[in-house]
Amino acid sequence: MRMSRLFLKTMREAPAEAELASHQLLLRAGLVSPLAAGLYCFTPLGWRAIQNVQAIIRDEMDRAGGQELHLPALNPVELWEQSGRAESMGDVLFRLADRRERGFVLGATHEEVVSSLVGRTIQSYRDLPFTVYQIQTKFRDEQRPRGGLVRLREFTMKDAYSFDTGWSALDDSYAAMFEAYTRIFARAGVPVIPVAADSGAIGGKDSQEFIFLTESGEDEILLCSNCGYAANGEKAEFAPSAPVEADLKPMSKVSTPGTKTIAELASFLGIEPRQTNKAVFYRADGKPVLVSIRGDLDVNEIKLKNALKANVVEPMDERMVDAAGLVAGYASAVGLSDVTVVADASVVEAKNLAAGANEPGMHYVDTNYGRDWDAQVVADVALARAGDACVNCGTPLETRRGMEMGHVFKLGTMYAESIGVHFLDEDGERKPAVMGCYGIGVERLLAAVLEENHDDNGIVWPAEVAPYDVSVVVLNSEQEAVSDAVNELEPALLAAGLSVLIDDREESAGIKFKDADLLGMPLRMTVSPRSLERGGIEVRDRKSGETEVLAVAAAVARAARASS
RNA sequence: CGGGGAGUGGCGCAGUCUGGUAGCGCACUCGGCUGGGGGCCGAGCGGUCGCAGGUUCAAAUCCUGUCUCCCCGACCA
């Protein structure tokens, strides 16, 4: 490709809207152009990079035994109602109707459609197992698109779905995908770590995310430097500090004026926060919920949502607090009847906690779970924080920011049951298939590639993602010796299976070099009177900056080596 | 949706407080010089100042409303 003909415009300065390095580079290098929030046009150069990312993914999916297929983006809304996600994914779905007012959604993911397809197709255990995948556009009406390609409303996702006869077989399919993911991210030049994760709206059991650790990430990750425990903050477990041990004391009511916070209460009573029982109010699918948790801990809303099997959990607004008869600052489950109570494991184990008396200015002291109050749900709903003890080894956990690059999880039979994917086993018994699903965001992966692979001068493409293998900078092309050399070099590179971007523009040398650095192809070859004087083609490694002058054949061989 | 910021040629910005001829740098076009790290000189093209109302003799500037974009949070690949 000749740059004089390439549809591309680079920019000296990044638009003010871009904050992330990847976003700035994408715009400066002209790889993308924004159309609206969360919607981007890809220019030919950017599209080549996307296609290269897809090629890596496709290659590894195929290697792992995946079979690519294609599914409609337009889905009948009934299918989503059948799985329950028309409601649970709610606002995220783009909805529309056809001319006969039949309802559709734009696929935000494809568990429903693939389940429907597979359900219509398989009959016997002999048809299993298999893993199918698609690399397709997904649509999500995100609350906040952001970070350039990090969070889009229309994006490409590689989604793989495994179908097995049982849970142990699923373990094998899952392991194969896990291995494929490790290889994909390594090839793309993005370091990732697997972490335990919440399975979110898609549902399921075991779930791991591949996280690219970066300060610009959206997720908080908890890590144990000792045993390697790693989990998303949504999911992270930890060992709360031990409760204060004591014999059970009788409960009594005390006046505690002006103690609406745990800190005030603990100070007033002369006890530690972990000797108090904190009440936090939520609205779960519209119903009031009181969460009872030890005063030194905070509530993890994701864990709470899962414990309640609720679709939506949000803090209770004041009106609802009043309607439920709760007294902010002085509430507890003691003597409360009309509100669902969720008890964190921490308050169930602890003894003699101070708790609200459900009237202003009053608290109980020495309340005990089971004796003085009860809960409909007991679960771990505590939020892990930096410094909390690792569940496995007790080492203080660290927190880091990270970007979710991929997610693998064991779905189980939920879609098989709701949509209908059944088979007859060896005994003639009808069973639901056990599914797994495995996603990677293609554009986001490209963003991470750039986030990780750049320097002050621009992009430093990993070989497999680079839009072209070689940039050729031509200087003084009006000199015959130079044009002859280019005319020999280009076909030789192409014949070696390399892709080449030749800068034949009428620009100064400085601009061409700056652009070559910005665009970041792994190798730059300069053809100029000076290089020819020195014996041929100047070959420069974008990453190391190492430069050598080689004859055409040697330069081609060098490039072939670099791209393999 | 809550909080914060911003909308002025393709990009980066000034001008807004204190109303009065829309400006600068880059990019782009033409001419010349230069020719290995965004070079120099000259001449040009390009803007309903996000949009809609209002105040005023007069609005980029003041008032009201609205839209869009970015950042932080809640959600996801």
Coordinates of all heavy atoms in Angstrom, one line a residue, chain B residues 9-11 23-30 43-47:
Chain B
rG9 P -15.4 25.2 15.6 OP1 -16.4 24.2 15.3 OP2 -14.3 25.0 16.5 O5' -14.7 25.6 14.2 C5' -13.9 24.7 13.5 C4' -14.1 24.9 12.0 O4' -13.8 26.3 11.8 C3' -13.1 24.1 11.2 O3' -13.7 23.6 10.1 C2' -12.0 25.2 10.7 O2' -11.5 24.9 9.4 C1' -12.9 26.4 10.7 N9 -12.1 27.6 10.9 C8 -11.1 27.9 11.8 N7 -10.6 29.1 11.7 C5 -11.3 29.7 10.6 C6 -11.1 30.9 10.0 O6 -10.4 31.8 10.3 N1 -12.0 31.1 9.0 C2 -12.9 30.1 8.5 N2 -13.7 30.5 7.5 N3 -13.1 28.9 9.1 C4 -12.2 28.8 10.1
rG10 P -14.6 22.2 10.3 OP1 -15.3 22.0 9.1 OP2 -15.4 22.3 11.6 O5' -13.5 21.1 10.5 C5' -13.9 19.7 10.5 C4' -12.6 18.9 10.7 O4' -11.7 19.3 9.7 C3' -11.9 19.1 12.0 O3' -12.4 18.3 13.0 C2' -10.4 18.8 11.6 O2' -10.2 17.4 11.6 C1' -10.4 19.3 10.2 N9 -9.9 20.7 10.1 C8 -10.6 21.8 9.6 N7 -9.9 22.9 9.6 C5 -8.7 22.5 10.3 C6 -7.6 23.4 10.6 O6 -7.5 24.6 10.4 N1 -6.6 22.6 11.2 C2 -6.7 21.3 11.5 N2 -5.6 20.7 12.1 N3 -7.7 20.5 11.2 C4 -8.7 21.2 10.6
rC11 P -12.4 18.8 14.5 OP1 -13.1 17.7 15.3 OP2 -12.9 20.2 14.6 O5' -10.9 18.7 15.0 C5' -10.3 17.5 15.2 C4' -8.8 17.8 15.7 O4' -8.1 18.4 14.7 C3' -8.7 18.7 16.9 O3' -9.0 18.1 18.1 C2' -7.3 19.2 16.8 O2' -6.4 18.2 17.2 C1' -7.2 19.4 15.2 N1 -7.6 20.7 14.8 C2 -6.6 21.8 15.0 O2 -5.5 21.5 15.5 N3 -6.9 23.0 14.6 C4 -8.1 23.2 14.0 N4 -8.4 24.5 13.7 C5 -9.1 22.2 13.8 C6 -8.8 21.0 14.2
rG23 P -11.3 38.1 12.1 OP1 -10.7 39.4 11.6 OP2 -11.8 37.1 11.1 O5' -10.4 37.4 13.1 C5' -9.1 37.8 13.3 C4' -8.4 37.2 14.5 O4' -9.4 36.6 15.4 C3' -7.4 36.1 14.2 O3' -6.2 36.6 13.7 C2' -7.3 35.5 15.6 O2' -6.5 36.3 16.4 C1' -8.7 35.6 16.1 N9 -9.4 34.3 16.0 C8 -10.4 34.0 15.1 N7 -10.9 32.8 15.2 C5 -10.1 32.2 16.2 C6 -10.1 31.0 16.8 O6 -10.8 30.0 16.6 N1 -9.1 30.8 17.8 C2 -8.3 31.9 18.2 N2 -7.4 31.6 19.2 N3 -8.3 33.1 17.7 C4 -9.2 33.2 16.7
rC24 P -5.3 35.7 12.8 OP1 -4.3 36.5 12.1 OP2 -6.2 34.8 11.9 O5' -4.6 34.8 13.8 C5' -3.7 35.4 14.7 C4' -3.1 34.3 15.7 O4' -4.2 33.8 16.5 C3' -2.5 33.1 15.1 O3' -1.2 33.3 14.6 C2' -2.6 32.1 16.3 O2' -1.6 32.4 17.2 C1' -4.0 32.5 16.9 N1 -5.0 31.6 16.4 C2 -5.2 30.3 17.0 O2 -4.4 30.0 17.9 N3 -6.2 29.5 16.6 C4 -7.0 29.9 15.6 N4 -7.9 29.1 15.2 C5 -6.9 31.2 14.9 C6 -5.9 32.0 15.4
rG25 P -0.7 32.4 13.3 OP1 0.5 33.0 12.9 OP2 -1.8 32.2 12.4 O5' -0.4 31.0 14.0 C5' 0.6 30.8 14.9 C4' 0.6 29.4 15.5 O4' -0.6 29.2 16.2 C3' 0.6 28.3 14.4 O3' 1.9 28.1 13.8 C2' 0.1 27.1 15.2 O2' 1.1 26.6 16.1 C1' -1.0 27.8 16.1 N9 -2.3 27.8 15.4 C8 -2.9 28.8 14.7 N7 -4.1 28.4 14.2 C5 -4.2 27.1 14.7 C6 -5.3 26.2 14.4 O6 -6.3 26.4 13.8 N1 -5.0 25.0 15.0 C2 -3.9 24.7 15.7 N2 -3.8 23.4 16.2 N3 -2.9 25.5 16.0 C4 -3.1 26.7 15.4
rC26 P 1.9 27.5 12.3 OP1 3.4 27.4 12.0 OP2 1.1 28.4 11.5 O5' 1.3 26.1 12.4 C5' 2.0 25.0 13.1 C4' 1.1 23.8 13.2 O4' -0.2 24.1 13.8 C3' 0.6 23.2 11.8 O3' 1.6 22.4 11.2 C2' -0.6 22.4 12.3 O2' -0.2 21.2 12.9 C1' -1.2 23.3 13.3 N1 -2.2 24.1 12.7 C2 -3.5 23.5 12.4 O2 -3.6 22.3 12.8 N3 -4.4 24.2 11.8 C4 -4.2 25.5 11.5 N4 -5.2 26.1 10.9 C5 -3.0 26.1 11.7 C6 -2.0 25.4 12.3
rA27 P 1.7 22.3 9.6 OP1 2.8 21.4 9.3 OP2 1.7 23.7 9.1 O5' 0.3 21.7 9.2 C5' 0.1 20.3 9.5 C4' -1.4 19.9 9.1 O4' -2.3 20.8 9.9 C3' -1.7 20.2 7.7 O3' -1.3 19.1 6.8 C2' -3.2 20.3 7.7 O2' -3.9 19.1 7.9 C1' -3.4 21.1 9.1 N9 -3.4 22.6 8.9 C8 -2.4 23.4 9.1 N7 -2.7 24.7 8.8 C5 -4.0 24.6 8.3 C6 -4.9 25.6 7.8 N6 -4.6 26.9 7.7 N1 -6.1 25.1 7.4 C2 -6.4 23.8 7.5 N3 -5.6 22.8 7.9 C4 -4.4 23.3 8.3
rC28 P -0.9 19.4 5.3 OP1 -0.6 18.1 4.7 OP2 0.2 20.5 5.4 O5' -2.2 20.0 4.7 C5' -3.3 19.2 4.4 C4' -4.4 20.0 3.7 O4' -4.8 21.1 4.6 C3' -3.9 20.8 2.5 O3' -3.9 20.0 1.4 C2' -5.0 21.9 2.4 O2' -6.2 21.5 1.9 C1' -5.2 22.3 3.9 N1 -4.3 23.4 4.4 C2 -4.6 24.7 4.0 O2 -5.7 24.9 3.4 N3 -3.9 25.7 4.5 C4 -2.7 25.4 5.2 N4 -2.0 26.5 5.6 C5 -2.3 24.1 5.5 C6 -3.1 23.1 5.1
rU29 P -2.8 20.2 0.3 OP1 -2.9 19.0 -0.7 OP2 -1.5 20.5 0.9 O5' -3.3 21.5 -0.5 C5' -4.5 21.5 -1.2 C4' -4.7 22.8 -1.9 O4' -5.0 23.8 -0.9 C3' -3.5 23.3 -2.6 O3' -3.3 22.8 -3.9 C2' -3.7 24.8 -2.7 O2' -4.7 25.1 -3.7 C1' -4.4 25.1 -1.3 N1 -3.4 25.5 -0.3 C2 -3.0 26.8 -0.3 O2 -3.5 27.6 -1.1 N3 -2.2 27.1 0.7 C4 -1.6 26.3 1.7 O4 -0.9 26.8 2.5 C5 -2.1 24.9 1.6 C6 -2.9 24.6 0.6
rC30 P -1.9 22.5 -4.5 OP1 -2.0 21.8 -5.8 OP2 -0.9 22.0 -3.5 O5' -1.4 24.0 -4.9 C5' -2.1 24.7 -5.9 C4' -1.6 26.1 -6.0 O4' -1.9 26.9 -4.8 C3' 0.0 26.2 -6.1 O3' 0.5 26.0 -7.4 C2' 0.2 27.7 -5.7 O2' -0.2 28.6 -6.7 C1' -0.9 27.8 -4.6 N1 -0.3 27.5 -3.2 C2 0.3 28.6 -2.6 O2 0.4 29.7 -3.1 N3 0.9 28.4 -1.3 C4 0.8 27.1 -0.8 N4 1.4 27.0 0.4 C5 0.2 26.1 -1.5 C6 -0.3 26.3 -2.7
rA43 P 1.8 37.7 3.0 OP1 1.5 39.1 3.1 OP2 1.8 36.8 4.1 O5' 0.9 37.1 1.8 C5' 0.9 37.6 0.5 C4' 0.1 36.8 -0.4 O4' 0.8 35.5 -0.5 C3' -1.3 36.4 0.1 O3' -2.2 37.4 -0.2 C2' -1.5 35.1 -0.8 O2' -1.9 35.5 -2.1 C1' -0.2 34.5 -0.7 N9 -0.1 33.5 0.3 C8 0.5 33.6 1.6 N7 0.4 32.6 2.3 C5 -0.2 31.6 1.6 C6 -0.7 30.3 1.8 N6 -0.4 29.7 2.9 N1 -1.3 29.7 0.8 C2 -1.6 30.4 -0.4 N3 -1.2 31.6 -0.7 C4 -0.6 32.2 0.3
rG44 P -3.6 37.4 0.6 OP1 -4.5 38.5 0.0 OP2 -3.4 37.4 2.0 O5' -4.2 36.0 0.0 C5' -5.3 35.5 0.6 C4' -5.6 34.2 -0.2 O4' -4.5 33.3 -0.1 C3' -6.8 33.4 0.4 O3' -8.0 33.8 -0.1 C2' -6.4 32.0 0.0 O2' -6.8 31.7 -1.3 C1' -4.9 32.0 0.1 N9 -4.4 31.6 1.4 C8 -3.6 32.3 2.3 N7 -3.3 31.7 3.3 C5 -3.8 30.4 3.1 C6 -3.7 29.2 3.9 O6 -3.1 29.1 5.0 N1 -4.3 28.2 3.4 C2 -5.0 28.2 2.1 N2 -5.5 27.0 1.8 N3 -5.1 29.3 1.4 C4 -4.4 30.3 1.9
rC45 P -9.2 34.0 0.9 OP1 -10.2 34.8 0.3 OP2 -8.7 34.3 2.3 O5' -9.8 32.5 0.9 C5' -10.0 31.8 -0.3 C4' -10.3 30.4 0.0 O4' -9.1 29.7 0.4 C3' -11.2 30.1 1.1 O3' -12.6 30.2 0.7 C2' -10.9 28.6 1.4 O2' -11.4 27.7 0.5 C1' -9.4 28.6 1.2 N1 -8.6 28.8 2.5 C2 -8.5 27.7 3.3 O2 -9.0 26.6 3.0 N3 -7.8 27.8 4.5 C4 -7.3 29.0 4.8 N4 -6.6 29.1 6.0 C5 -7.4 30.2 4.0 C6 -8.1 30.0 2.9
rG46 P -13.6 30.9 1.7 OP1 -14.9 30.9 1.0 OP2 -13.0 32.1 2.2 O5' -13.7 29.8 2.8 C5' -14.2 28.5 2.6 C4' -13.9 27.6 3.7 O4' -12.5 27.5 4.0 C3' -14.5 28.0 5.1 O3' -15.8 27.6 5.2 C2' -13.6 27.4 6.1 O2' -13.9 26.0 6.3 C1' -12.2 27.4 5.3 N9 -11.4 28.6 5.7 C8 -11.4 29.8 5.2 N7 -10.6 30.7 5.8 C5 -10.0 29.9 6.8 C6 -9.0 30.2 7.7 O6 -8.4 31.3 7.9 N1 -8.6 29.1 8.5 C2 -9.2 27.8 8.4 N2 -8.7 26.9 9.2 N3 -10.1 27.5 7.5 C4 -10.5 28.6 6.7
rG47 P -17.0 28.7 5.6 OP1 -18.2 28.1 5.2 OP2 -16.6 30.0 5.1 O5' -16.9 28.7 7.2 C5' -17.0 27.5 7.9 C4' -17.2 27.8 9.4 O4' -16.0 28.5 9.9 C3' -18.3 28.7 9.7 O3' -19.6 28.1 9.8 C2' -17.9 29.3 11.1 O2' -18.3 28.4 12.1 C1' -16.4 29.2 11.0 N9 -15.8 30.5 10.9 C8 -16.0 31.6 10.0 N7 -15.2 32.6 10.2 C5 -14.4 32.3 11.3 C6 -13.4 33.0 12.0 O6 -13.0 34.1 11.8 N1 -12.9 32.2 13.0 C2 -13.3 31.0 13.4 N2 -12.7 30.4 14.4 N3 -14.3 30.3 12.7 C4 -14.8 31.0 11.7

